[in-house]
Amino acid sequence: MVQKTKKAAPKKAKKTTAAKASSKAEDFRAKSGDELNTQLSNLKKEQFNLRFQRANGQVENTGRIRVLRRDIARIQTVLTEQHRAAQAKG
């Protein structure tokens, strides 16, 4: 007897995630260096607090840690771009 196998439905691409990431980067690029540094320090403080909560087993939203890491990296990337653009001008 030949058994029929079900084909798995094709996975949908995560276009929304990539679109959100690029829009966040564009939002960061629209800000000044001082605003980005302020936001960066706030995100790092939040990350620090979440690390302690995770160590104590109190963190409720574990996905927030990942989002913070990525936002910090985005801000640092934009700050580096701005710094290099300023060096190229002057």
Side-chain angles (χ1 to χ4, degrees):
M1 252 189 185
V2 177
Q3 289 184 341
K4 293 184 180 180
T5 58
K6 291 184 180 180
K7 291 185 179 180
K11 291 185 179 181
K12 294 181 181 178
K14 290 188 176 183
K15 292 182 182 178
T16 56
T17 306
K20 285 182 185 178
S22 66
S23 67
K24 279 187 180 182
E26 293 301 319
D27 292 342
F28 291 148
R29 284 187 183 97
K31 294 184 179 183
S32 70
D34 291 335
E35 290 174 326
L36 288 174
N37 282 324
T38 302
Q39 191 169 2
L40 181 64
S41 66
N42 289 338
L43 290 175
K44 284 189 175 190
K45 286 177 187 176
E46 186 178 351
Q47 182 185 33
F48 178 79
N49 290 331
L50 283 175
R51 265 199 317 252
F52 270 94
Q53 288 178 5
R54 184 175 61 185
N56 292 327
Q58 297 173 346
V59 68
E60 294 176 8
N61 186 1
T62 57
R64 179 73 180 142
I65 297 169
R66 180 180 183 186
V67 171
L68 282 174
R69 259 194 352 254
R70 291 182 178 194
D71 283 347
I72 289 170
R74 281 188 195 103
I75 290 175
Q76 289 175 335
T77 300
V78 171
L79 284 171
T80 301
E81 288 173 356
Q82 290 178 354
H83 181 70
R84 287 184 180 170
Q87 282 184 341
K89 285 183 182 178

